[in-house]
């Protein structure tokens, strides 16, 4: 593919990764991803905004060759994670005079992670600017989107914000800009859930920080660019600031059918009371879908059988993840079964210290559920519906 010009002397030079299906050995990528890199030529200097994952560095180099780039003065490294920084050493080999521009913290991390020599860096303070000649780059420190060293760049004359991971989405597409808003909304929400949600308080501050910038285009380092910035800004505002909704997320595993029976009954009981339920069988679910559901949910109810005196390992994994993602949940409970005993409730309750939730009376059943157990599930469903109503959750 050829590099594409998005504004006079501003080019997309990154790479599309159609086939990648897992990120960080953890996050499913059903739609692949892209590593966006941008070349900005001023009348005097040339800057490269982020690079690409090292597996795609030949694509970046080919784009630079196609454009006949003889000199790069600055490489802006918004973020030290290797999917954006990993090709910096390769670009430095080709353009040894280039300086890496980043936050002081990012400098230390790039030295540690990529062994880049210290003399290659220019570290910049918050709101510092550099002129390329007719094009001014303003660097905006934005820590914890999603590592501590992150920053954004605002190109003043063109009113373009380059936010790296912030506002990104894992989508492989030839579209430069968001065309299918439904698809991009879903992918961006998945991205927010998995990457940004644990840092919601910092995201809030950074959204505040950029709100007075006039932005015509948001050009993230994953997925399509947003030429209608209000689309993605509005979505982020809702994910960060809105109250959770009248939704129960129900991740579960069943080994011999008891927990499944309880889940089926409980979903119906909640539905009858006007509560939306999102049910996930953890033996087959895409964990990204579960993360996405947690963005809006008010309640999590974990369904598990008892294995070796505790929760099923897949349930323990999902609970660990939910705790790490720090969603806006207000209530939590546990349903499930056991054969002869165990400490499932204590163990699961001890795994969610980050969730500021009220724990509602769990329903644990010995063997297969009976009349009294279904009654207890009705009571739990009633309690949740009431709690949601009292909290005015829409
Ligand atoms: Fe796209 Fe945090 O790297």
């Amino acid at each position: 593919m050829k590099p594409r010009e998005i504004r006079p002397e501003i080019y997309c030079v990154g790479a599309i990764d159609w086939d990648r299906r897992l990120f960080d050995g953890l996050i499913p990528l059903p739609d692949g991803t892209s590593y966006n890199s941008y070349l900005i030529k001023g009348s005097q200097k040339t800057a490269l905004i982020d690079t690409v994952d090292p597996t795609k560095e030949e694509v970046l180099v080919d784009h630079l060759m196609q454009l006949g780039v003889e000199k790069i003065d600055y490489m802006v490294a918004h973020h030290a994670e290797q999917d954006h920084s990993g090709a910096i050493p390769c670009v430095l080999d080709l353009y040894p005079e280039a300086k890496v521009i980043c936050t002081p913290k990012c400098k230390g991390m790039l030295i540690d992670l990529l062994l880049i020599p210290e003399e290659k860096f220019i570290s910049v303070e918050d709101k510092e600017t550099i002129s390329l000649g007719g094009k001014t780059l303003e660097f905006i420190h934005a820590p914890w989107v999603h590592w501590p060293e992150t920053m954004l760049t605002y190109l003043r004359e063109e009113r373009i914000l380059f936010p790296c991971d912030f506002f990104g989405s894992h989508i492989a597409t030839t579209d430069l800009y968001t065309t299918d808003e439904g698809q991009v909304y879903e992918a961006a929400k998945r991205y927010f859930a998995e990457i940004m949600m644990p840092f919601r308080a910092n995201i809030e501050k950074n959204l505040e920080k950029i709100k007075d910038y006039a932005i015509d285009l948001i050009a993230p380092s994953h997925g399509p660019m947003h030429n209608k910035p209000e689309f993605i800004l509005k979505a982020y505002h809702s994910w960060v600031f809105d109250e959770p909704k009248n939704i129960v997320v129900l991740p579960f595993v069943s080994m011999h059918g008891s927990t499944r029976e309880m889940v089926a009954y409980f979903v119906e009981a909640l539905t009858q009371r006007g509560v939306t339920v999102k049910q996930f069988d953890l033996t087959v679910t895409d964990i990204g879908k579960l993360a996405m559901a947690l963005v809006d949910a008010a309640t999590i109810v974990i369904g598990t059988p008892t294995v070796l005196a505790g929760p099923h390992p897949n349930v323990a994994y999902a609970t660990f993840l939910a705790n790490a993602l720090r969603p806006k949940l207000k209530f939590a409970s546990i349903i499930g079964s056991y054969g002869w005993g165990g400490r499932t409730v204590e163990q699961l309750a001890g795994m969610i210290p980050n969730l500021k939730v009220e724990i509602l009376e769990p329903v644990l059943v010995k063997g297969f559920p009976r009349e009294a157990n279904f009654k207890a599930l009705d009571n739990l469903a009633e309690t949740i519906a009431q709690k949601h109503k009292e909290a005015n959750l829409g």
Side-chain angles (χ1 to χ4, degrees):
M1 188 173 284
K2 294 186 188 313
R4 290 185 283 178
E5 192 173 33
I6 55 168
R7 292 280 197 279
E9 299 284 43
I10 303 174
Y11 303 88
C12 291
V13 292
I16 302 170
D17 198 339
W18 296 97
D19 302 323
R20 190 160 181 180
R21 286 293 173 269
L22 200 60
F23 196 85
D24 290 345
L26 173 68
I27 296 169
L29 303 181
D31 303 313
T33 191
S34 66
Y35 318 108
N36 303 341
S37 171
Y38 304 91
L39 186 83
I40 305 177
K41 289 182 174 176
S43 60
Q44 291 153 14
K45 307 273 188 188
T46 296
L48 185 66
I49 304 282
D50 289 323
T51 66
V52 297
D53 190 89
T55 56
K56 294 289 178 190
E57 63 188 21
E58 77 285 354
V59 177
L60 172 62
V61 170
D62 179 56
H63 285 157
L64 297 175
M65 295 300 111
Q66 286 188 55
L67 288 170
V69 177
E70 290 176 354
K71 188 167 185 246
I72 289 177
D73 299 279
Y74 306 118
M75 258 191 288
V76 177
H78 289 128
H79 177 27
E81 193 163 11
Q82 290 88 335
D83 54 324
H84 309 292
S85 68
I88 291 176
C90 162
V91 178
L92 280 176
D93 284 346
L94 283 172
Y95 301 95
E97 70 283 13
K99 294 287 185 195
V100 179
I101 294 183
C102 60
T103 64
K105 193 176 272 292
C106 189
K107 173 182 167 181
M109 292 175 75
L110 288 173
I111 291 172
D112 289 341
L113 293 172
L114 299 173
L115 311 180
I116 298 171
E118 188 160 3
E119 65 272 15
K120 293 288 185 186
F121 288 92
I122 298 173
S123 54
V124 287
E125 296 304 320
D126 189 26
K127 307 286 179 73
E128 201 172 325
T129 59
I130 283 182
S131 175
L132 306 177
K135 291 187 171 74
T136 312
L137 304 181
E138 179 180 340
F139 306 108
I140 305 166
H141 285 204
W144 295 108
V145 291
H146 59 116
W147 282 10
E149 84 300 7
T150 45
M151 71 171 190
L152 329 172
T153 295
Y154 180 65
L155 174 52
R156 284 182 178 171
E157 291 78 3
E158 297 286 349
R159 305 186 354 162
I160 301 176
L161 182 71
F162 298 95
C164 198
D165 280 342
F166 205 15
F167 309 121
S169 53
H170 283 308
I171 302 180
T173 173
T174 55
D175 289 348
L176 281 176
Y177 304 100
T178 297
T179 48
D180 181 341
E181 288 195 349
Q183 185 202 18
V184 175
Y185 183 91
E186 167 122 354
K189 187 174 185 180
R190 176 188 278 266
Y191 193 86
F192 171 83
E194 294 165 331
I195 307 286
M196 299 292 171
M197 190 158 64
F199 309 104
R200 206 153 22 92
N202 301 85
I203 303 290
E204 200 173 313
K205 282 187 203 137
N206 287 313
L207 285 172
E208 283 293 316
K209 193 166 183 180
I210 61 169
K211 81 174 184 333
D212 294 327
Y213 285 81
I215 299 169
D216 290 342
L217 177 67
I218 294 179
S221 293
H222 295 293
M225 292 180 283
H226 305 289
N227 54 358
K228 293 177 188 152
E230 64 282 2
F231 159 71
I232 193 69
L233 290 170
K234 207 171 144 202
Y236 260 73
H237 269 264
S238 134
W239 301 331
V240 171
F241 294 105
D242 283 2
E243 278 290 297
K245 296 186 169 59
N246 181 24
I247 297 172
V248 169
V249 169
L250 208 175
F252 79 99
V253 172
S254 184
M255 289 162 65
H256 300 291
S258 299
T259 301
R260 184 177 294 281
E261 186 75 11
M262 295 175 72
V263 165
Y265 185 90
F266 188 54
V267 168
E268 179 63 22
L270 285 165
T271 306
Q272 289 298 323
R273 289 165 174 83
V275 180
T276 300
V277 187
K278 297 188 177 176
Q279 171 188 322
F280 297 92
D281 179 344
L282 294 170
T283 61
V284 294
T285 197
D286 167 349
I287 212 77
K289 290 262 188 197
L290 172 61
M292 257 194 287
L294 288 169
V295 172
D296 302 315
T299 298
I300 186 169
V301 176
I302 299 163
T304 185
T306 301
V307 184
L308 300 174
H312 188 285
N314 285 13
V315 170
Y317 170 59
T319 306
F320 175 87
L321 206 60
N323 182 62
L325 294 177
R326 297 171 182 262
K328 295 182 277 195
L329 293 165
K330 288 178 178 288
F331 310 102
S333 192
I334 299 159
I335 64 174
S337 60
Y338 59 94
W340 51 90
R343 294 175 48 77
T344 296
V345 169
E346 296 89 323
Q347 288 187 19
L348 286 177
M351 288 177 69
I352 51 171
N354 292 343
L355 303 183
K356 305 301 172 211
V357 290
E358 178 185 347
I359 305 276
L360 307 177
E361 185 66 32
V363 181
L364 265 286
V365 172
K366 188 168 192 290
F368 203 78
R370 280 152 279 194
E371 194 58 36
N373 309 125
F374 292 125
K375 183 83 187 108
L377 289 171
D378 277 328
N379 289 343
L380 179 58
E382 186 61 30
T383 304
I384 290 170
Q386 283 304 324
K387 295 270 183 192
H388 286 195
K389 209 167 279 175
E390 284 160 17
N392 281 323
L393 305 180

